Coordinates of all heavy atoms in Angstrom, one line a residue:
S288 N 64.9 -62.5 -41.4 CA 66.3 -62.6 -41.2 C 66.8 -62.7 -39.9 O 66.1 -62.4 -38.9 CB 67.0 -61.5 -41.9 OG 66.7 -60.1 -41.3
A289 N 68.0 -63.0 -39.6 CA 68.6 -63.0 -38.3 C 68.6 -61.8 -37.7 O 68.2 -61.6 -36.5 CB 70.0 -63.5 -38.2
Q290 N 68.7 -60.6 -38.4 CA 68.7 -59.2 -38.0 C 67.3 -58.8 -37.5 O 67.0 -58.2 -36.5 CB 69.3 -58.3 -38.9 CG 69.4 -56.9 -38.5 CD 70.1 -55.9 -39.6 OE1 70.3 -56.2 -40.7 NE2 70.3 -54.7 -39.0
Q291 N 66.4 -59.2 -38.4 CA 65.0 -58.9 -38.1 C 64.5 -59.7 -36.9 O 63.7 -59.1 -36.0 CB 64.0 -59.3 -39.3 CG 64.3 -58.4 -40.4 CD 63.5 -58.9 -41.7 OE1 63.5 -60.0 -42.0 NE2 62.8 -58.0 -42.4
L292 N 64.8 -60.9 -36.7 CA 64.4 -61.6 -35.5 C 65.0 -61.0 -34.2 O 64.4 -61.1 -33.2 CB 64.9 -63.1 -35.7 CG 64.0 -63.9 -36.6 CD1 64.8 -65.4 -36.9 CD2 62.7 -64.2 -36.0
D293 N 66.3 -60.5 -34.3 CA 66.9 -59.9 -33.2 C 66.0 -58.6 -32.7 O 65.7 -58.4 -31.6 CB 68.3 -59.4 -33.6 CG 69.3 -60.5 -33.7 OD1 69.0 -61.5 -33.1 OD2 70.4 -60.2 -34.2
Y294 N 65.6 -57.8 -33.8 CA 64.8 -56.6 -33.6 C 63.5 -56.9 -33.0 O 63.0 -56.2 -32.2 CB 64.8 -55.9 -35.0 CG 64.0 -54.6 -34.9 CD1 64.6 -53.5 -34.3 CD2 62.8 -54.4 -35.4 CE1 63.9 -52.3 -34.2 CE2 62.0 -53.3 -35.3 CZ 62.8 -52.1 -34.7 OH 62.1 -50.9 -34.6
F295 N 62.9 -57.9 -33.6 CA 61.4 -58.3 -33.1 C 61.4 -58.8 -31.7 O 60.3 -59.0 -31.2 CB 60.9 -59.1 -34.1 CG 60.4 -58.5 -35.5 CD1 60.5 -59.1 -36.7 CD2 60.0 -57.2 -35.4 CE1 60.3 -58.3 -37.8 CE2 59.5 -56.5 -36.6 CZ 59.8 -57.2 -37.8
T296 N 62.4 -59.5 -31.2 CA 62.4 -60.3 -30.1 C 63.3 -59.7 -28.9 O 63.0 -60.1 -27.8 CB 62.8 -61.8 -30.2 OG1 64.2 -61.8 -30.7 CG2 61.9 -62.5 -31.2
E297 N 64.2 -58.9 -29.2 CA 65.0 -58.3 -28.2 C 64.5 -56.8 -27.9 O 65.1 -55.8 -28.5 CB 66.5 -58.2 -28.6 CG 67.1 -59.7 -28.6 CD 68.5 -59.6 -29.1 OE1 69.1 -58.6 -29.3 OE2 69.0 -60.7 -29.4
V298 N 63.5 -56.7 -27.2 CA 62.7 -55.5 -27.0 C 62.9 -54.9 -25.6 O 62.9 -55.8 -24.6 CB 61.2 -55.7 -27.3 CG1 61.1 -56.0 -28.9 CG2 60.5 -56.5 -26.5
D299 N 62.7 -53.7 -25.3 CA 63.0 -53.2 -23.9 C 61.7 -53.1 -23.1 O 61.6 -52.8 -22.0 CB 63.7 -51.8 -24.0 CG 62.9 -50.9 -24.8 OD1 61.7 -50.9 -25.1 OD2 63.5 -49.7 -25.0
Q300 N 60.5 -53.3 -23.8 CA 59.1 -53.2 -23.3 C 58.9 -51.8 -22.7 O 58.0 -51.7 -21.8 CB 58.8 -54.2 -22.2 CG 58.9 -55.7 -22.7 CD 57.9 -56.2 -23.7 OE1 56.9 -55.3 -24.0 NE2 57.9 -57.3 -24.3
S301 N 59.6 -51.0 -23.2 CA 59.3 -49.4 -22.9 C 59.1 -48.5 -24.0 O 57.9 -48.1 -24.2 CB 60.5 -48.8 -22.0 OG 60.2 -47.6 -21.7
D302 N 60.2 -48.5 -24.9 CA 60.0 -47.6 -26.1 C 59.6 -48.7 -27.3 O 59.1 -48.1 -28.3 CB 61.3 -47.0 -26.5 CG 61.6 -46.0 -25.4 OD1 60.7 -45.2 -25.0 OD2 62.8 -45.7 -25.2
H303 N 60.0 -49.9 -27.1 CA 59.5 -50.9 -28.1 C 58.7 -52.0 -27.2 O 59.5 -52.8 -26.4 CB 60.8 -51.5 -28.7 CG 60.4 -52.6 -29.8 ND1 61.3 -53.1 -30.6 CD2 59.3 -53.2 -30.1 CE1 60.7 -53.9 -31.5 NE2 59.5 -54.1 -31.1
V304 N 57.5 -52.0 -27.3 CA 56.7 -53.0 -26.5 C 56.2 -54.0 -27.5 O 55.6 -53.6 -28.6 CB 55.5 -52.2 -25.8 CG1 54.6 -53.2 -25.2 CG2 56.1 -51.2 -24.8
A305 N 56.2 -55.3 -27.1 CA 55.6 -56.4 -27.9 C 55.2 -57.4 -27.1 O 55.8 -57.7 -26.1 CB 56.8 -56.9 -28.7
W306 N 54.0 -58.0 -27.5 CA 53.3 -59.1 -26.7 C 52.9 -60.2 -27.7 O 52.6 -59.9 -28.9 CB 52.1 -58.7 -25.9 CG 52.3 -58.0 -24.5 CD1 53.1 -56.7 -24.4 CD2 52.2 -58.6 -23.3 NE1 53.1 -56.6 -23.1 CE2 52.6 -57.6 -22.4 CE3 51.4 -59.7 -22.9 CZ2 52.4 -57.8 -21.1 CZ3 51.3 -59.8 -21.4 CH2 51.7 -58.9 -20.6
I307 N 53.1 -61.3 -27.3 CA 52.7 -62.5 -28.3 C 51.6 -63.4 -27.6 O 51.5 -63.5 -26.4 CB 54.1 -63.4 -28.5 CG1 53.9 -64.5 -29.6 CG2 54.5 -64.0 -27.2 CD1 55.1 -65.0 -30.0
A308 N 50.8 -63.9 -28.5 CA 49.7 -64.8 -28.1 C 50.2 -66.1 -28.6 O 50.6 -66.5 -29.8 CB 48.4 -64.4 -28.9
L309 N 50.1 -67.1 -27.5 CA 50.6 -68.4 -27.8 C 49.4 -69.5 -27.6 O 48.4 -69.2 -26.6 CB 51.7 -68.8 -26.8 CG 52.9 -67.9 -26.8 CD1 53.8 -68.0 -25.6 CD2 53.7 -68.1 -28.2
S310 N 49.5 -70.6 -28.2 CA 48.5 -71.6 -27.9 C 48.9 -72.3 -26.6 O 50.0 -72.2 -26.1 CB 48.5 -72.7 -29.1 OG 49.9 -73.3 -29.0
S311 N 47.9 -72.7 -25.9 CA 47.9 -73.4 -24.5 C 48.3 -74.9 -24.7 O 48.0 -75.7 -23.8 CB 46.9 -73.1 -23.6 OG 45.8 -73.2 -24.1
D312 N 48.6 -75.4 -26.0 CA 48.5 -76.8 -26.1 C 49.8 -77.4 -25.4 O 51.0 -76.9 -25.6 CB 48.7 -77.1 -27.7 CG 48.8 -78.6 -28.0 OD1 48.8 -79.3 -27.0 OD2 48.8 -78.9 -29.2
N313 N 49.6 -78.4 -24.7 CA 50.7 -79.0 -23.8 C 51.7 -79.7 -24.8 O 52.8 -80.0 -24.4 CB 50.2 -80.0 -22.9 CG 49.3 -79.4 -21.8 OD1 49.5 -78.3 -21.4 ND2 48.3 -80.2 -21.4
A314 N 51.4 -79.9 -26.0 CA 52.4 -80.6 -26.9 C 53.4 -79.6 -27.4 O 54.5 -80.0 -27.9 CB 51.7 -81.2 -28.0
G315 N 53.2 -78.3 -27.2 CA 54.2 -77.4 -27.6 C 53.5 -76.0 -27.9 O 52.5 -76.0 -28.7
Q316 N 54.1 -74.9 -27.5 CA 53.5 -73.6 -27.8 C 53.7 -73.2 -29.2 O 54.7 -73.3 -29.7 CB 53.8 -72.6 -26.8 CG 53.4 -72.7 -25.4 CD 53.7 -71.6 -24.5 OE1 54.8 -71.1 -24.6 NE2 52.8 -71.1 -23.7
T317 N 52.5 -72.7 -29.8 CA 52.6 -72.2 -31.2 C 52.3 -70.6 -31.1 O 51.3 -70.3 -30.3 CB 51.6 -72.9 -32.1 OG1 52.0 -74.2 -32.1 CG2 51.6 -72.4 -33.5
G318 N 53.0 -70.0 -31.9 CA 52.6 -68.5 -32.0 C 51.3 -68.2 -32.8 O 51.3 -68.7 -33.8
L319 N 50.4 -67.6 -32.2 CA 49.2 -67.4 -32.9 C 49.0 -65.9 -33.3 O 48.2 -65.6 -34.3 CB 48.1 -67.6 -32.0 CG 47.9 -69.1 -31.3 CD1 46.6 -69.1 -30.3 CD2 47.9 -70.2 -32.3
G320 N 49.7 -65.0 -32.8 CA 49.6 -63.6 -33.1 C 50.5 -62.8 -32.3 O 51.1 -63.3 -31.4
I321 N 50.9 -61.6 -32.7 CA 51.8 -60.8 -32.1 C 51.4 -59.3 -32.4 O 51.0 -59.0 -33.4 CB 53.3 -61.0 -32.5 CG1 54.3 -60.4 -31.6 CG2 53.6 -60.5 -34.0 CD1 55.7 -61.0 -31.8
A322 N 51.7 -58.4 -31.3 CA 51.3 -57.0 -31.4 C 52.5 -56.2 -30.8 O 53.1 -56.6 -29.7 CB 50.1 -56.7 -30.7
R323 N 52.8 -55.0 -31.4 CA 53.9 -54.4 -30.8 C 53.6 -52.9 -31.2 O 52.9 -52.5 -32.2 CB 55.3 -54.7 -31.5 CG 55.4 -54.5 -32.9 CD 56.8 -54.9 -33.5 NE 56.8 -56.5 -33.5 CZ 57.6 -57.1 -32.7 NH1 58.5 -56.5 -31.8 NH2 57.8 -58.4 -32.6
F324 N 54.3 -52.0 -30.5 CA 54.4 -50.6 -30.9 C 55.9 -50.2 -30.5 O 56.4 -50.7 -29.7 CB 53.4 -49.7 -30.2 CG 53.4 -49.6 -28.7 CD1 54.4 -48.7 -28.2 CD2 52.5 -50.1 -27.9 CE1 54.4 -48.5 -26.7 CE2 52.5 -49.8 -26.5 CZ 53.5 -49.1 -25.9
I325 N 56.3 -49.1 -31.3 CA 57.6 -48.5 -31.2 C 57.4 -47.0 -31.1 O 56.9 -46.5 -32.1 CB 58.6 -49.0 -32.4 CG1 58.6 -50.4 -32.4 CG2 59.9 -48.5 -32.2 CD1 59.3 -51.0 -33.8
R326 N 58.0 -46.5 -30.1 CA 57.9 -45.0 -29.9 C 58.8 -44.3 -30.9 O 59.9 -44.7 -31.2 CB 58.5 -44.8 -28.5 CG 58.0 -43.4 -28.0 CD 58.8 -43.0 -26.6 NE 58.7 -44.0 -25.6 CZ 57.5 -43.8 -24.7 NH1 56.7 -42.8 -24.8 NH2 57.3 -44.7 -23.7
L327 N 58.3 -43.2 -31.5 CA 59.0 -42.5 -32.3 C 60.0 -41.6 -31.7 O 59.5 -40.8 -30.8 CB 58.1 -41.5 -33.2 CG 57.0 -42.4 -34.1 CD1 56.3 -41.4 -34.9 CD2 57.8 -43.3 -34.9
P328 N 61.2 -41.5 -32.0 CA 62.2 -40.7 -31.2 C 61.9 -39.3 -31.3 O 62.2 -38.5 -30.3 CB 63.5 -41.1 -32.0 CG 63.3 -42.5 -32.6 CD 61.8 -42.4 -33.0
H329 N 61.5 -38.9 -32.4 CA 61.2 -37.4 -32.5 C 59.7 -36.9 -32.1 O 59.5 -35.7 -32.0 CB 61.5 -36.9 -34.1 CG 60.5 -37.7 -34.9 ND1 60.7 -39.1 -35.3 CD2 59.5 -37.3 -35.7 CE1 59.8 -39.5 -36.1 NE2 59.0 -38.3 -36.5
Q330 N 59.0 -38.0 -31.8 CA 57.6 -37.7 -31.3 C 57.4 -38.6 -30.2 O 56.6 -39.7 -30.4 CB 56.5 -37.8 -32.3 CG 56.6 -36.8 -33.4 CD 55.5 -36.8 -34.5 OE1 55.6 -37.8 -35.4 NE2 54.5 -36.2 -34.4

């Protein structure tokens, strides 16, 4: 959903860290994988 896409891509790279793996094809980059972690507020 639009809300999920906001959450997954608008990250602060501190409490919510996310990196994406992209193809290096000159014709256009394709997402190959993604990894993230989100700090627990209470821990």
Side-chain angles (χ1 to χ4, degrees):
S288 67
Q290 184 178 13
Q291 287 172 319
L292 286 170
D293 289 342
Y294 182 73
F295 287 143
T296 59
E297 297 177 8
V298 301
D299 61 13
Q300 298 295 350
S301 178
D302 293 329
H303 184 171
V304 172
W306 280 66
I307 190 169
L309 302 166
S310 68
S311 56
D312 186 353
N313 293 330
Q316 288 189 320
T317 301
L319 308 179
I321 196 165
R323 71 180 67 247
F324 66 73
I325 301 170
R326 193 189 306 268
L327 299 182
H329 59 289
Q330 293 179 279

